[in-house]
Amino acid sequence: MTFTIKKAAAAMAVSCALLLSACGGSGEEQSTGSEDKKVLNVGTEATFAPFEFMDKGEVSGFDVDLLQAAAAEAGYEVNIQNTGWDAMLAGLQSEQLDIGMSGVTITDERKETYDFSVPYFESVSMIAFKEGTDIKTAEDLKGKKIGVQNGTTGQIAAEAIVGKNDSSISKYKTSALTFQALQSGDVEAVVTDIAVAYEFAKNNPDAGIQTVGDDQFVPEYYGIVFPKGSELKAEFDEALNTLYENGTYAEIYKKWFDEEPNIDSLKAAQ
């Protein structure tokens, strides 16, 4: 995802989140009984179900389960905070956060600012729209009011179809707000990640939401995000590859998506 960050406000939001969680600085030591494990501060935006969302006051989702498993494999614990997207990125740049994990697509542009783990999820953009809207392909987005989460690959995918400066694209702060706009009729279509579109349609069966893909939307891969130059990258790369080999990744994947993952594809993208 690519966007402009209001760094000062976002960094302040990270600081407040970490103080409220009684976290120390990056990599705080925490007693775990028989041994001390370093606790890593993690930022996320918990409006991106099924990857991360709030459940009874706690951040839950596929990303959470996978990150906890990878951290345990690497010998760490994690303190996951719902910082929000901009604050997560600002916190990584200022190194107030050790990790960011929020369905972040690996791109060459982002790799100039952050380090990424090996890919842990293959995705592609999807169009969601209300039943009765005439959308069969991505080309049908032209002339429609489109909602995207600001700075995401969904925005990039929509702009590739209708133009980067097209006034028909409305940009929202979170994925949840894009779907609210779709339900209220403020937009006619939402372009987002395939799993997110399917999850919303599944959880809102009375909303009349339909989805369609298109070959113009190219596959993309999510990665765990680290500050540039972080030594954690190598450790988590090794941990993720271990989870691929020992069956833990497949177990977590099936829990959330009810199907077998294509681990060979993830390995090929490394």
Side-chain angles (χ1 to χ4, degrees), residues 32-200:
T32 59
S34 61
E35 61 180 307
D36 288 336
K37 288 188 176 181
K38 187 177 289 185
V39 179
L40 303 177
N41 295 323
V42 180
T44 191
E45 185 206 302
T47 67
F48 200 59
F51 297 96
E52 39 271 316
F53 57 93
M54 297 304 296
D55 183 20
K56 299 178 181 177
E58 299 290 333
V59 184
S60 182
F62 171 77
D63 279 359
V64 174
D65 286 356
L66 181 60
L67 182 60
Q68 289 174 336
E73 180 65 35
Y76 295 98
E77 292 188 352
V78 288
N79 174 50
I80 302 174
Q81 293 295 308
N82 183 21
T83 58
W85 181 264
D86 286 354
M88 176 187 73
L89 295 176
L92 289 166
Q93 286 187 279
S94 66
E95 299 188 7
Q96 289 178 287
L97 293 174
D98 300 294
I99 289 174
M101 194 163 186
S102 193
V104 186
T105 300
I106 303 167
T107 68
D108 289 339
E109 181 178 357
R110 288 181 184 148
K111 286 194 288 187
E112 295 177 1
T113 307
Y114 312 97
D115 282 342
F116 284 86
S117 70
V118 295
Y120 72 83
F121 189 86
E122 182 178 358
S123 185
V124 70
S125 290
M126 173 72 69
I127 304 167
F129 54 94
K130 279 192 172 182
E131 187 176 1
T133 307
D134 185 20
I135 297 179
K136 297 181 179 65
T137 71
E139 290 297 317
D140 294 327
L141 289 172
K142 295 177 179 177
K144 302 285 195 305
K145 296 178 181 178
I146 307 164
V148 298
Q149 183 180 359
N150 188 40
T152 65
T153 48
Q155 176 186 338
I156 295 171
E159 290 175 345
I161 302 300
V162 303
K164 188 170 184 178
N165 298 314
D166 196 287
S167 61
S168 67
I169 298 179
S170 296
K171 302 167 188 175
Y172 297 89
K173 188 174 182 180
T174 69
S175 176
L177 289 175
T178 66
F179 282 103
Q180 287 181 22
L182 179 61
Q183 289 183 288
S184 67
D186 290 339
V187 299
E188 297 170 276
V190 163
V191 181
T192 187
D193 294 50
I194 183 171
V196 176
Y198 283 158
E199 184 76 1
F200 184 85

Side-chain angles (χ1 to χ4, degrees), residues 237-269:
D237 283 351
E238 182 178 352
L240 284 171
N241 279 313
T242 298
L243 299 183
Y244 296 154
E245 295 297 333
N246 67 16
T248 302
Y249 177 86
E251 181 180 341
I252 296 170
Y253 190 97
K254 286 185 285 187
K255 170 187 171 181
W256 288 100
F257 302 107
D258 198 30
E259 63 182 18
E260 291 284 348
N262 187 346
I263 293 176
D264 289 340
S265 176
L266 295 176
K267 289 181 178 179

